[in-house]
Amino acid sequence: MIAAGGALGASLRYLTSIAIQPIHQRFSFLSGTVFANSIGCLAAGSLAAWISISNPFGDDMTALLTVGLLGSYTTFSTFSLEVFQRLDGPTRDLASYLFMQLVVAIGFVFVGYSFTVHWMGGAA
């Protein structure tokens, strides 16, 4: 079920990038990524509320929609939803989560990029 949602989400993500190109040419800040992340966050919030109020789906369908569809459409929606869920908890947990997601993850991008450039013997 999750793989089916993932295939659908990835396909929608690709189609979103294609569809947004004419708008991106006019407004450079509105890329396919920004659009997909915004729509994905809106959908994640709506879906989380719907599930918490009435839980109309079984576990399999919930996983298909959240982990599969939204997870492959945009992981930013998952990140945003997890931040939202931590707002009522201990500040330390929220700060640690944000640190790990923003500082450590971006640091890992830098390390991975630098290592690969070095390993391949090139300059980027």
Side-chain angles (χ1 to χ4, degrees):
M1 295 292 287
I2 292 171
L8 181 59
S11 298
L12 288 172
R13 175 67 179 88
Y14 176 72
L15 293 173
T16 297
S17 291
I18 291 172
I20 204 73
Q21 284 177 354
I23 296 171
H24 176 65
Q25 290 173 355
R26 187 160 183 212
F27 304 101
S28 62
F29 65 90
L30 187 55
S31 65
T33 301
V34 169
F35 189 80
N37 285 340
S38 299
I39 296 301
C41 288
L42 178 66
S46 296
L47 188 60
W50 191 9
I51 291 169
S52 71
I53 292 168
S54 66
N55 198 9
F57 311 112
D59 290 342
D60 288 343
M61 183 58 73
T62 297
L64 180 146
L65 292 171
T66 58
V67 177
L69 179 78
L70 288 177
S72 65
Y73 186 69
T74 170
T75 56
F76 191 77
S77 62
T78 304
F79 164 74
S80 299
L81 182 59
E82 289 178 354
V83 168
F84 177 78
Q85 290 169 338
R86 285 171 171 77
L87 290 177
D88 289 335
T91 304
R92 183 177 181 181
D93 290 351
L94 176 60
S96 297
Y97 181 81
L98 288 171
F99 177 80
M100 291 300 295
Q101 289 286 15
L102 299 173
V103 177
V104 174
I106 292 169
F108 278 3
V109 169
F110 175 77
V111 170
Y113 181 89
S114 299
F115 174 79
T116 304
V117 167
H118 178 74
W119 179 68
M120 295 181 74

